[in-house]
Amino acid sequence: MIKLLLIDEDAIFRLGLRTGLADIPDVQLVAEAASKAEVWELLENPFLVASLDLVVLDWKLGEIVDRPSEPLYLQIQARYPEFPLFLLTSEVNSEALDSARQAGVRGYCRKGTSLERLVLAFREVANGRIYWQTFPTVQNPKLTSATPIEEGRAKHRYSQWLKNWKTAGLSYIGDDLERIDRQLQHPQLSSVDRLILSGRQRELRVARWVVQQIASTADRWRPRPSQPPSLEAIDPRPNLPPTVSPVVVRSTDLLSGDGQTLQAVLLDNTLAKLQSNLVNLSEETLEIDIFRSDKKRELLYTVLREVENTLAQLRFAEIQAPQLAEKCLEILEDLWRASTETFFGKYYTLPVEGQQLEVVSILLQDADIVRESMLAKIPAVEDLLAHFLYKTPLVVDNISCPAGSLEGMRRAEYLLHNLIIRIANAVVQPLLEHFADVETVKQNFYDRCLLSTREIERFRNDLSWKYRFQKYIGEPKAIYESCYWLLVFDDRGIKKISIYASRRQELEALSGIGQTVTLVLEGRDAIAPRVRSAVTFIGSSLVYVLTQIIGRGLGLIARGILDSIANATQPNSAKSIKFKLPNSHRTVQIDESEPRERR
């Protein structure tokens, strides 16, 4: 068994290489590092140092991360001369490579080399030999002309490079957008800072759109044969890389194509969604929320890859539709086990209280708990697998939608998203149960806002209350309302949606607290409208009595009182009497305020 230490700052590249090596029986990736600090921290572990057979690194990493005085491979070689070093880099600087070879580096390959050739090189160097990849000398294009096959290969390499560039670029942009979203949610953020961050957010969104538009031209660089083949002769997914490769399929071919074409399109769409924000926008606490954004994305990538592998194994086994219902829960458990082993590494160990504990073997001991409390609750898994394997129509709002139709594609994508997120939560749940407060786990996986013991315990308590609420109230209510709640990927993050589903049998099987909840809901639906109508009528009547009858009466009384008070406060006010003298046109006015004697 050849055990490797991989040193590379590109998380996507590390994930792809780890996933590809998972199927190689005699080569194992036991540790990874993305910076110089992580390298020295790993090499302080004597058990890891004693087990390593090969150190694979990018010679430019040291200069990119912390700009040391000498390349990182020279520093490792000076401290650990017994380690065979292998350069795996995209740089082709001949002078730097020659100096590395003279310094004692025993192997070199360029990124983009096929996995088979890379494994062969690892074996050669680990066994004490030298493997140095060479490239043909570039000739004058005026003297030589490339064949159509060579042109096709060059275009395909360019397409692969452009796709990798797109993946890494969108990942970095997504991380920045997620960080800015968290800053904008801060309640004490000043208006000036909010304005600056909003402008930065718009710039990043424009940059993401530009990257997607530029990278979309990569599919046009595929080699074309002299005669166009028929549609049936085209392999929909040639040269699968470690991650899910994009598929270009015309919409008219989905209804007539096979299940693999449909599966490839949905997996590719899901992969694109994983490159956007992964912020939890639902009101439900998720286990993956404790992870950093890069680890969260890496875990979801891993589950997506294992879903693809599971579908391939089911096709190869030629499992029949009746057997699918019986083995559905077993398939989910195998998918959870494979995702756990791939994400953490089958032989990943942690130092706890002076002992080296095998993480994966301890996590898999909770298989019964995970199966009953999490995997068995994932809805419509059988329908999704049958849709991929046999093109079985999906029922959407009591309407049968064939495979490849717009509604069927949307429903299948939602079910796939929910499956990936639920499996990822199931991978994290045993880790929180056994190694939640282990410092190595916190530093390698957790978000920096959840590093303290108090925050971790608060997070675990929120999860515990969530499952209690779901068990006694949320799930009976969903059954009574004939719906399932799904977690799906959106451009802004992970959101929660509901879909209609007939759950009559589950409703009849409810008992105890669940049945009581449904009875309370039924009683509320029966009584609440009548009580609401009665309260509305009584309230309207009371308002009428108070305003129209009592209010007006009190208003008249108050007005009379005010008039009396006004008259009482003017005792000496002048009062005059006008009368006309007889046999005269004159009018005489007598003021009663004057004393009678003067009159």
Side-chain angles (χ1 to χ4, degrees):
M1 175 70 70
I2 301 175
K3 296 185 178 181
L4 308 178
L5 167 62
L6 176 61
I7 305 172
D8 198 294
E9 67 172 359
D10 190 347
I12 303 300
F13 178 77
R14 296 199 310 270
L15 172 62
L17 184 59
R18 182 174 69 249
T19 306
L21 294 178
D23 298 330
I24 308 300
D26 62 332
V27 180
Q28 179 190 357
L29 185 59
V30 295
E32 301 176 20
S35 65
K36 181 180 176 182
E38 293 182 7
V39 172
W40 300 129
E41 182 181 357
L42 288 173
L43 294 180
E44 289 177 357
N45 186 349
F47 297 98
L48 177 63
V49 172
S51 63
L52 285 179
D53 299 311
L54 187 63
V55 177
V56 181
L57 75 161
D58 188 342
W59 72 278
K60 292 285 291 182
L61 179 136
E63 297 179 6
I64 294 174
V65 177
D66 45 19
R67 301 186 182 277
S69 57
E70 59 181 355
L72 181 60
Y73 70 86
L74 290 179
Q75 301 178 36
I76 296 177
Q77 189 177 45
R79 188 175 298 186
Y80 302 95
E82 70 277 8
F83 282 170
L85 300 180
F86 191 101
L87 293 182
L88 185 57
T89 177
S90 58
E91 297 292 330
V92 292
N93 189 329
S94 58
E95 296 180 359
L97 293 177
D98 290 340
S99 62
R101 187 170 186 175
Q102 295 174 4
V105 177
R106 306 186 63 84
Y108 161 72
C109 277
R110 187 178 179 182
K111 287 184 178 179
T113 305
S114 64
L115 183 62
E116 294 78 6
R117 188 172 183 180
L118 204 56
V119 171
L120 176 62
F122 290 161
R123 291 169 181 161
E124 291 288 321
V125 177
N127 291 326
R129 293 181 287 271
I130 296 177
Y131 187 96
W132 209 265
Q133 188 178 20
T134 58
F135 299 93
T137 305
V138 179
Q139 300 179 356
N140 191 341
K142 296 181 180 180
L143 302 178
T144 60
S145 59
T147 63
I149 296 178
E150 293 173 348
E151 291 180 355
R153 290 176 179 174
K155 293 177 180 179
H156 180 69
R157 285 195 298 268
Y158 174 77
S159 174
Q160 290 296 109
W161 172 85
L162 192 59
K163 185 180 74 65
N164 294 335
W165 170 76
K166 170 190 174 184
T167 302
L170 291 177
S171 176
Y172 295 145
I173 294 174
D175 292 342
D176 289 343
L177 283 174
E178 184 176 346
R179 175 177 53 81
I180 291 176
D181 289 339
R182 288 198 302 267
Q183 293 177 352
L184 288 174
Q185 294 173 4
H186 197 281
Q188 298 180 353
L189 190 65
S190 64
S191 58
V192 177
D193 292 338
R194 188 177 299 277
L195 184 62
I196 294 174
L197 290 175
S198 299
R200 177 63 175 162
Q201 186 182 49
R202 290 192 296 270
E203 292 176 357
L204 288 173
R205 288 175 177 172
V206 172
R208 181 172 62 183
W209 180 85
V210 171
V211 171
Q212 291 174 345
Q213 295 300 316
I214 294 175
S216 63
T217 60
D219 293 323
R220 303 174 186 174
W221 287 87
R222 294 183 177 179
R224 298 180 180 178
S226 57
Q227 294 181 353
S230 61
L231 181 62
E232 291 78 7
I234 299 177
D235 184 3
R237 308 192 67 193
N239 301 325
L240 282 177
T243 56
V244 183
S245 60
V247 180
V248 179
V249 181
R250 293 173 296 183
S251 58
T252 55
D253 299 331
L254 292 177
L255 290 172
S256 58
D258 57 1
Q260 291 183 341
T261 304
L262 175 65
Q263 169 190 324
V265 173
L266 291 178
L267 291 177
D268 181 63
N269 293 341
T270 304
L271 177 62
K273 293 291 180 64
L274 292 182
Q275 296 169 359
S276 59
N277 288 333
L278 297 176
V279 180
N280 184 8
L281 302 178
S282 66
E283 298 179 355
E284 177 182 345
T285 304
L286 305 178
E287 283 81 355
I288 59 177
D289 290 341
I290 200 171
F291 276 10
R292 302 194 307 263
S293 60
D294 58 333
K295 288 297 180 181
K296 186 189 303 184
R297 183 172 288 106
E298 181 180 347
L299 175 58
L300 294 171
Y301 279 145
T302 303
V303 177
L304 178 62
R305 172 68 185 221
E306 294 302 329
V307 169
E308 183 184 23
N309 293 338
T310 300
L311 291 171
Q313 293 173 6
L314 292 175
R315 280 196 184 88
F316 180 78
E318 297 183 353
I319 186 173
Q320 301 300 318
Q323 299 175 338
L324 195 61
E326 301 174 359
K327 295 182 176 294
C328 188
L329 193 56
E330 181 181 351
I331 293 171
L332 287 178
E333 184 175 350
D334 292 340
L335 176 60
W336 169 72
R337 289 177 179 271
S339 302
T340 302
E341 291 181 354
T342 304
F343 179 70
F344 293 106
K346 189 175 182 180
Y347 301 100
Y348 179 53
T349 59
L350 282 176
V352 180
E353 297 180 357
Q355 299 179 355
Q356 291 291 330
L357 301 181
E358 294 186 359
V359 175
V360 174
S361 60
I362 296 176
L363 299 183
L364 296 183
Q365 292 176 2
D366 292 351
D368 295 337
I369 300 175
V370 172
R371 180 175 60 251
E372 297 299 329
S373 61
M374 304 184 74
L375 301 182
K377 305 295 183 181
I378 303 177
V381 177
E382 179 186 350
D383 297 338
L384 179 63
L385 296 178
H387 187 69
F388 283 146
L389 297 176
Y390 319 116
K391 296 190 64 176
T392 304
L394 290 174
V395 179
V396 181
D397 298 334
N398 280 343
I399 299 176
S400 180
C401 300
S405 62
L406 181 60
E407 291 297 329
M409 292 278 290
R410 183 181 293 111
R411 176 58 57 87
E413 187 174 8
Y414 286 163
L415 295 177
L416 179 61
H417 292 180
N418 184 72
L419 174 63
I420 293 172
I421 297 173
R422 299 296 184 184
I423 294 295
N425 288 332
V427 171
V428 180
Q429 195 275 337
L431 182 72
L432 297 176
E433 187 68 24
H434 296 280
F435 304 101
D437 207 15
V438 177
E439 194 63 29
T440 305
V441 174
K442 293 194 294 184
Q443 296 296 332
N444 292 338
F445 297 99
Y446 289 2
D447 188 274
R448 65 178 58 186
C449 299
L450 298 172
L451 292 178
S452 66
T453 302
R454 179 180 181 182
E455 293 297 331
I456 293 173
E457 293 303 322
R458 179 184 297 174
F459 184 82
R460 294 179 63 190
N461 290 332
D462 291 342
L463 287 174
S464 178
W465 279 109
K466 180 192 77 169
Y467 285 113
R468 288 193 181 97
F469 178 83
Q470 289 292 337
K471 179 179 179 181
Y472 296 113
I473 298 178
E475 187 64 19
K477 182 180 178 183
I479 292 175
Y480 185 62
E481 294 176 350
S482 300
C483 72
Y484 285 116
W485 288 98
L486 304 181
L487 295 170
V488 299
F489 298 114
D490 189 68
D491 292 337
R492 299 178 295 111
I494 299 175
K495 66 179 183 179
K496 195 174 183 179
I497 64 171
S498 64
I499 60 172
Y500 168 79
S502 177
R503 309 185 68 175
R504 186 66 187 180
Q505 294 181 353
E506 297 176 78
L507 180 63
E508 295 176 352
L510 285 177
S511 61
I513 299 178
Q515 188 178 24
T516 304
V517 170
T518 58
L519 293 176
V520 170
L521 293 175
E522 184 179 1
R524 188 190 68 176
D525 294 341
I527 298 174
R530 283 77 184 175
V531 173
R532 192 180 298 111
S533 300
V535 171
T536 303
F537 176 76
I538 294 173
S540 301
S541 301
L542 184 61
V543 169
Y544 178 80
V545 171
L546 291 176
T547 57
Q548 300 298 325
I549 300 178
I550 299 178
R552 286 190 175 185
L554 293 176
L556 293 175
I557 294 173
R559 183 175 180 181
I561 293 174
L562 293 176
D563 290 342
S564 300
I565 293 173
N567 294 333
T569 56
Q570 299 177 0
N572 297 324
S573 60
K575 295 183 179 180
S576 59
I577 302 175
K578 294 181 181 181
F579 62 93
K580 187 176 182 181
L581 295 176
N583 301 323
S584 175
H585 296 285
R586 297 177 60 189
T587 301
V588 179
Q589 179 176 350
I590 301 176
D591 190 355
E592 292 185 353
S593 63
E594 297 180 357
R596 294 181 179 273
E597 291 78 6
R598 295 180 61 182
R599 278 188 279 166

